[in-house]
């Protein structure tokens, strides 16, 4: 086993959690909200029904998978993606050399920081394999017209010839998500009327499989294409005298431009550009004013806020592990009082008084569901970002690696398709689908990424998602003996106790009681 693989396995073990629900129970939780069945995904991929080339190259009737050397060369829609990724790698390498000048960085064994080998994106031996289909109608608050989103998730895989000539497959640490609008504006029902959000939701809930949802001959037209999201494990580095074990993940987003018919580099939703905001007094002032405005603070509390582009970044590097305490590895670090050093610490974007005053007014209006303290505000400022969400209860830097249907005996990490955060959120997502199907206005709000909302308490009770072994829980504050108001309800099941997983005084994990 290579050092890279050993390190990746360590990350999976550390962050994957103990999956206390059986595979069947996980599948039932995801019915209507995700397609994770490996046999169905194998059929959809191997029959070329949902290969990237078929979906993005319908005029050529491309009913065959393209290896990565041809995918980016033959599909003009994707031409901007490789150079944008290359530019991020160059920036990352330059930053690493400045931060750790004594460490070597490069591809392969024998270096201190081992980089993802970009050569695999130009290889005739690799391609993107369908790993899952995820219903995100819970994101219809972003665009009600499109009824939310549908995500086709692909995992980069290398195919090598074995000694007997047979092909062997090895999954590589990169996902490629093709995000489509959930509703096809050109589709009509049996009466010739445009398909409604209620009808889309009913199809997912009633069928739960691809054929029942759209049919076997599906080509997304331009109006359905929304964006491509990429997630790459950009580097791994073992513990050294300079730092703890680190595995960094690069997140990028490319929005579809129907005019140019290309996917163009874009900002990441809610990924605050911390360094740029801290360095610009005008931007700092504007961001504080915008976020603390009553209407925006309300949506921020509910997890449905949409931060304006001028505050956002076009890339995010997600370090893991991060732990539960505030640290420079977290996306908001330095924006809150007493965090960071230098200018960020002496002149934070948000002081305690700023937050306490805004929350007091919001509470008087009845606007708050989740954030009830400065610590809660800080936690939401992290988990509302792409990077902060991926750092929370993920499998390394991924939330949906998918079951490895190519392997005869997949590893423990890939028997379960998704992270504890993903699985724990399925009840909320299904409730939203059910409301849509009944013609009701859904409740799109969500709790903190660390813990599911109470709306799923019955189905998730006793699991690591809520109150069970490994669940996040509320610690008593060592200074005051009281619980932080934002996390008071985060308890442990009978027989378990909340214990600090690090130096945190607020958030711990549920473990078996010890004497």
């Amino acid at each position: 086993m290579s050092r890279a693989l050993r390190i990746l396995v360590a990350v999976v073990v550390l962050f994957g959690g103990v999956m206390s629900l059986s595979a069947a129970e996980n599948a039932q939780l995801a019915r209507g909200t995700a397609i994770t069945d490996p046999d169905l995904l194998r059929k959809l991929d191997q029959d070329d029904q949902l290969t990237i080339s078929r979906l993005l190259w319908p005029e050529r009737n491309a009913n065959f998978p393209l290896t990565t050397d041809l995918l980016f060369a033959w599909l003009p829609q994707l031409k901007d993606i490789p150079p944008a990724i290359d530019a991020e790698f160059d920036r990352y390498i330059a930053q690493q050399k400045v931060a750790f000048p004594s460490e070597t960085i490069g591809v392969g064994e024998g270096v201190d920081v081992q980089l993802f080998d970009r050569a695999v994106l130009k290889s005739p031996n690799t391609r993107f394999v369908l790993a899952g289909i995820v219903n995100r109608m819970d994101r219809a608050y972003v665009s009600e017209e499109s009824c939310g989103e549908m995500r086709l998730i692909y995992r980069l895989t290398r195919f090598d010839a074995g000694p007997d000539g047979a092909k062997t497959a090895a999954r590589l640490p990169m996902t490629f998500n093709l995000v489509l609008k959930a509703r096809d504006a050109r589709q009509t029902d049996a009466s010739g009327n445009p398909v409604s959000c209620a009808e889309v939701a009913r199809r997912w809930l009633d069928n739960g499989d691809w054929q029942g949802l759209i049919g076997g001959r599906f080509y997304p037209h331009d109006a359905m294409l929304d964006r491509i999201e990429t997630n790459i494990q950009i580097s791994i580095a073992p513990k050294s005298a300079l730092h703890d074990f680190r595995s960094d993940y690069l997140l990028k987003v490319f929005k579809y431009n129907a005019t140019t018919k290309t996917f163009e580099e874009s900002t990441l939703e809610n990924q605050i550009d911390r360094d740029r905001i801290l360095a610009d007094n005008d931007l700092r002032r504007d961001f504080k004013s915008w976020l603390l405005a009553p209407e925006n603070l309300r949506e921020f509390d509910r997890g449905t806020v949409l931060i304006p582009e001028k505050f956002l970044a076009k890339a995010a590097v997600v370090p893991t592990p991060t732990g539960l305490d505030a640290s420079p590895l977290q996306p908001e670090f330095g924006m809150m009082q007493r965090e960071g050093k230098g200018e960020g610490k002496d002149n934070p974007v948000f002081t305690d008084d700023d937050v306490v005053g805004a929350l007091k007014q919001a509470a008087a209006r009845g606007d708050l569901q989740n954030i009830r303290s400065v610590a809660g505000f800080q936690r939401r400022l992290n988990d509302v970002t792409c990077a902060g969400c991926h750092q929370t209860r993920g499998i390394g830097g991924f939330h949906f690696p998918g079951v490895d249907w190519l392997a005869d005996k997949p590893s423990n990490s890939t028997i379960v398709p998704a992270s504890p955060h993903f699985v724990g959120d399925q009840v909320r997502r299904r409730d939203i689908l059910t409301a849509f199907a009944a013609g009701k206005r859904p409740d799109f709000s969500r709790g903190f990424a660390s813990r599911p909302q109470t709306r799923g308490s019955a189905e998730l009770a006793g699991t690591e998602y809520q109150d069970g072994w490994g669940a996040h829980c509320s610690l008593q504050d060592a200074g005051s003996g009281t619980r932080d108001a934002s996390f008071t309800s985060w308890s442990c099941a009978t027989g378990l106790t909340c214990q600090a997983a690090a130096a945190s005084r607020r958030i711990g994990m549920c473990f078996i009681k010890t004497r």
Side-chain angles (χ1 to χ4, degrees):
M1 181 184 290
S2 70
R3 184 178 71 166
L5 185 55
R6 287 197 302 270
I7 293 174
L8 181 58
V9 168
V11 174
V12 167
V13 171
L14 180 61
F15 281 87
V18 178
M19 307 303 290
S20 62
L21 292 182
S22 69
E25 288 172 316
N26 276 317
Q28 186 59 36
L29 269 179
R31 179 170 176 79
T33 59
I35 295 174
T36 63
D37 178 69
D39 292 331
L40 177 56
L41 294 170
R42 179 188 294 109
K43 175 176 174 57
L44 292 171
D45 183 271
Q46 294 185 342
D47 290 352
D48 300 324
Q49 295 185 55
L50 290 180
T51 58
I52 298 171
S53 53
R54 183 181 185 275
L55 296 175
L56 296 183
W57 208 15
E59 65 274 14
R60 296 293 184 94
N61 194 29
N63 291 326
F64 54 90
L66 289 178
T67 52
T68 53
D69 61 327
L70 302 178
L71 184 74
F72 294 109
W74 287 11
L75 298 187
Q77 303 99 314
L78 308 182
K79 66 181 181 63
D80 292 341
I81 294 179
I85 290 175
D86 284 340
E88 296 299 343
F89 267 75
D90 292 342
R91 274 190 284 272
Y92 178 82
I93 294 169
Q95 290 167 355
Q96 289 293 305
K97 288 181 176 179
V98 170
F100 305 106
S102 63
E103 290 196 332
T104 56
I105 182 170
V107 174
E109 303 288 341
V111 293
D112 297 313
V113 179
Q114 187 172 338
L115 287 173
F116 177 85
D117 186 0
R118 283 172 284 170
V120 298
L121 296 179
K122 300 176 182 178
S123 170
N125 298 321
T126 61
R127 73 175 181 90
F128 289 101
V129 171
L130 185 65
I133 305 171
V134 180
N135 179 337
R136 293 306 307 269
M137 291 185 74
D138 63 294
R139 285 180 44 78
Y141 65 87
V142 177
S143 175
E144 294 190 22
E145 177 63 25
S146 66
C147 306
E149 303 166 355
M150 174 172 59
R151 300 184 183 185
L152 304 178
I153 302 176
Y154 300 86
R155 183 71 178 236
L156 184 62
T157 303
R158 183 180 65 242
F159 295 86
D160 298 312
D164 58 354
K167 287 279 188 179
T168 61
R171 303 205 317 170
L172 303 177
M174 177 179 180
T175 56
F176 180 106
N177 304 341
L178 178 60
V179 183
L180 309 175
K181 296 172 184 176
R183 175 167 62 179
D184 183 344
R186 301 187 305 182
Q187 276 187 302
T188 58
D189 58 22
S191 302
N193 299 314
V195 173
S196 65
C197 294
E199 175 61 22
V200 175
R202 283 193 291 268
R203 290 180 182 180
W204 278 92
L205 291 170
D206 293 344
N207 295 286
D209 62 55
W210 181 255
Q211 297 295 337
L213 294 172
I214 293 180
R217 310 305 298 175
F218 171 65
Y219 297 102
H221 57 83
D222 280 4
M224 284 192 73
L225 298 175
D226 187 80
R227 65 189 184 277
I228 284 170
E229 302 169 338
T230 61
N231 183 0
I232 303 172
Q233 185 190 52
I234 191 171
S235 75
I236 50 177
K239 181 179 176 64
S240 73
L242 299 176
H243 54 72
D244 290 330
F245 167 81
R246 284 278 300 279
S247 179
D248 289 348
Y249 295 79
L250 172 66
L251 308 182
K252 293 286 290 179
V253 170
F254 302 87
K255 291 283 288 184
Y256 186 68
N257 185 325
T259 301
T260 63
K261 297 187 180 301
T262 57
F263 288 91
E264 301 175 347
E265 187 179 25
S266 175
T267 55
L268 282 70
E269 183 178 291
N270 290 348
Q271 182 63 40
I272 50 177
D273 194 331
R274 175 187 67 189
D275 294 340
R276 188 163 56 88
I277 292 173
L278 289 175
D280 186 324
N281 286 332
D282 291 338
L283 205 60
R284 174 200 300 262
R285 183 191 62 247
D286 290 349
F287 182 56
K288 178 171 75 172
S289 176
W290 184 87
L291 189 56
L292 295 183
E295 64 277 14
N296 299 325
L297 184 59
R298 181 183 185 278
E299 297 308 312
F300 181 65
D301 170 78
R302 283 157 173 70
T304 56
V305 71
L306 296 173
I307 299 173
E309 278 199 16
K310 72 175 185 176
F311 302 119
L312 305 180
K314 287 189 174 181
V317 173
V318 186
T320 62
T322 55
L324 299 176
D325 292 314
S327 78
L329 303 180
Q330 295 172 334
E332 66 74 31
F333 188 76
M335 301 187 110
M336 304 292 295
Q337 191 171 331
R338 294 183 297 275
E339 287 184 339
K341 59 184 179 179
E343 183 180 359
K345 183 175 182 180
D346 300 334
N347 185 23
V349 178
F350 303 98
T351 67
D352 287 358
D353 288 343
D354 291 333
V355 175
V356 169
L359 294 182
K360 184 176 180 179
Q361 294 176 26
R365 295 189 299 268
D367 283 349
L368 297 181
Q369 292 182 354
N370 300 291
I371 303 171
R372 303 180 188 280
S373 64
V374 173
F377 183 92
Q378 176 189 18
R379 184 160 290 266
R380 178 62 95 198
L381 196 55
N382 272 315
D383 81 20
V384 79
T385 67
C386 298
C389 183
H390 277 263
Q391 289 174 332
T392 305
R393 309 210 78 193
I395 301 176
F398 299 102
H399 275 308
F400 195 100
V403 174
D404 186 2
W405 52 259
L406 286 161
D408 292 333
K409 295 181 179 180
S411 65
N412 289 337
S413 63
T414 54
I415 291 174
V416 176
S419 73
H421 168 64
F422 175 92
V423 177
D425 197 41
Q426 296 311 298
V427 178
R428 182 188 71 89
R429 297 184 189 183
R430 193 175 66 239
D431 282 353
I432 290 172
L433 283 183
T434 302
F436 264 126
K440 299 177 181 178
R441 172 73 181 177
D443 174 9
F444 294 110
S445 65
R446 65 173 178 86
F448 294 103
S450 302
R451 191 174 170 96
Q453 283 177 292
T454 54
R455 68 173 82 178
S457 58
E459 290 180 76
L460 301 175
T463 70
E464 77 276 13
Y465 311 113
Q466 189 159 295
D467 295 343
W469 193 94
H472 287 182
C473 53
S474 173
L475 287 168
Q476 286 190 335
D477 186 283
S480 65
T482 60
R483 294 180 184 272
D484 189 294
S486 293
F487 318 117
T488 300
S489 64
W490 297 17
S491 59
C492 295
T494 302
L496 302 177
T497 182
C498 191
Q499 303 176 32
S504 174
R505 296 188 306 166
R506 294 185 176 91
I507 305 299
M509 300 183 76
C510 296
F511 294 116
I512 297 173
K513 291 182 179 180
T514 56
R515 294 183 179 180

